[in-house]
Amino acid sequence: MKLIISKEELVSVISGLKSTNTTIGFVPTMGALHRGHLSLVTESVKQNHYTVASIFVNPTQFNNPNDLKNYPRMLDHDLKALKQSGCDIVFAPETNDIYDTEEIKRPFEFDFKGLDKVMEGKFRPNHFNGVVHIVSKLFELVRPDRAYFGEKDFQQLAIIRLMTDSYDMPVEIVSCPIVREESGLAMSSRNMLLSEHQRDVASHIYAVLKESLLFVPNTPIYELKQCTIAAIEQKPELKVEYFEIVNGHTLQDVEKWEDADYIVGCVTVYCGNVRLIDNICYKKL
Ligand code: PAF
């Protein structure tokens, strides 16, 4: 496995690969890798000749400076895990090689067609501007045939698909299922910020989401939302920021189960100071 820090070296290695008849799979990450990330790498290794992963804690997608400061960084651990998963190239650039001093200060402009106004977008202003900015830059450098994203970040996935359509990018976006700890807690780099007790409590989130499936389609959506929030908050350590039941394509609220062919429940919960997200598919035809 090759570790590349400079943009120029990456561009030259990619040009070499592109001149042969090979496919490139790409897994963008911010490091602090867990089994969820590695499942994306494994999928890419299966489907492509070469797999490139990036490790870059992208400052423009953090709306909370403390969150950026506290984001776990563990390059040695990540490199070892990527190597074991069969990754071929790791791109781990420095911030000033990616952004110039001016562009890092202002939100990247993109027509989100409203996808940034709901759920995460309501609570994390400009977060998705930062995500689109970095992913578009990385796609330009890596020029992947396929790029892999986890379904845990459901809204991010929808926005990345919109971005590739809007910019007509020749890349297939491959979505991969949420990987969970044995307790059901969705894998996340933030889980390592939880105490052992909090980790235990946080597994209640998925237990409630799973149970909520039993009430579909016989319970009105509005009622299911209220009951699900109340059930999660039965644990005093958990505070729901939002729980939305949305059309899986448009991310807009759905009022009745028959109103869409793809319906997903998306939740964000604080466990102490740690912000956790998860989702569950209620309907997919
Ligand atoms: O999902 C993430 O880890 C990040 O949002 C991504 C896609 C690597 C962009 O920084």
Side-chain angles (χ1 to χ4, degrees):
M1 187 178 78
K2 191 171 174 59
L3 171 62
I4 298 181
I5 307 291
S6 96
K7 229 165 47 179
E8 289 68 28
E9 186 183 355
L10 179 73
V11 167
S12 129
V13 170
I14 296 291
S15 304
L17 296 181
K18 286 275 174 190
S19 65
T20 62
N21 204 9
T22 52
T23 56
I24 298 176
F26 178 45
V27 182
T29 83
M30 298 206 297
L33 304 183
H34 49 70
R35 282 198 286 117
H37 296 112
L38 300 177
S39 73
L40 308 180
V41 175
T42 305
E43 202 51 32
S44 170
V45 169
K46 271 193 231 154
Q47 297 182 354
N48 302 281
H49 297 105
Y50 287 93
T51 291
V52 180
S54 61
I55 298 178
F56 179 65
V57 182
N58 174 35
T60 67
Q61 70 187 77
F62 286 83
N63 48 310
N64 175 345
N66 273 338
D67 208 12
L68 172 61
K69 196 172 109 218
N70 295 333
Y71 199 86
R73 289 156 172 91
M74 39 180 64
L75 187 63
D76 288 347
H77 157 276
D78 292 344
L79 293 176
K80 206 165 143 199
L82 287 170
K83 189 170 176 191
Q84 278 170 357
S85 304
C87 181
D88 300 291
I89 297 169
V90 182
F91 179 49
E94 300 291 345
T95 304
N96 56 11
D97 204 16
I98 292 292
Y99 292 115
D100 68 40
T101 37
E102 279 311 304
E103 68 179 346
I104 203 166
K105 287 190 212 146
R106 50 172 196 271
F108 181 67
E109 285 191 26
F110 178 70
D111 180 5
F112 288 94
K113 304 199 187 310
L115 292 190
D116 63 329
K117 296 284 177 281
V118 295
M119 301 195 287
E120 291 298 282
K122 266 194 205 161
F123 293 93
R124 304 183 71 188
N126 295 329
H127 165 68
F128 289 116
N129 302 70
V131 171
V132 169
H133 200 177
I134 188 61
V135 175
S136 60
K137 275 176 180 280
L138 291 169
F139 278 8
E140 254 172 55
L141 295 169
V142 177
R143 295 194 279 150
D145 297 279
R146 298 186 185 88
Y148 295 78
F149 292 86
E151 284 168 4
K152 181 168 77 70
D153 295 298
F154 190 75
Q155 189 169 6
Q156 168 170 283
L157 184 58
I159 286 175
I160 296 294
R161 289 193 197 284
L162 174 70
M163 177 194 86
T164 53
D165 284 352
S166 304
Y167 293 154
D168 217 1
M169 290 174 161
V171 52
E172 180 191 343
I173 302 302
V174 183
S175 64
C176 298
I178 299 177
V179 177
R180 298 185 178 278
E181 297 189 359
E182 224 171 282
S183 65
L185 176 63
M187 293 260 172
S188 162
S189 305
R190 289 163 196 253
N191 292 357
M192 62 182 82
L193 303 173
L194 297 168
S195 69
E196 212 172 305
H197 171 68
Q198 285 176 321
R199 224 174 161 110
D200 204 38
V201 169
S203 65
H204 183 64
I205 301 167
Y206 183 57
V208 172
L209 289 182
K210 227 169 43 176
E211 199 176 335
S212 71
L213 277 172
L214 303 173
F215 297 88
V216 178
N218 294 325
T219 306
I221 288 187
Y222 177 75
E223 210 177 303
L224 187 67
K225 268 195 200 172
Q226 301 304 311
C227 295
T228 304
I229 294 171
I232 293 174
E233 290 188 344
Q234 261 175 5
K235 298 275 180 196
E237 296 90 340
L238 300 179
K239 180 84 197 113
V240 175
E241 188 166 59
Y242 66 81
F243 174 54
E244 302 288 359
I245 296 182
V246 298
N247 179 319
H249 304 291
T250 64
L251 306 186
Q252 301 307 306
D253 279 357
V254 171
E255 281 176 13
K256 296 200 193 94
W257 295 113
E258 55 280 16
D259 283 353
D261 59 4
Y262 184 23
I263 299 183
V264 181
C266 298
V267 74
T268 290
V269 181
Y270 273 96
C271 183
N273 290 327
V274 185
R275 193 172 182 276
L276 301 169
I277 67 174
D278 204 344
N279 63 72
I280 192 144
C281 180
Y282 287 124
K283 179 176 175 187
K284 195 167 189 180
L285 295 183

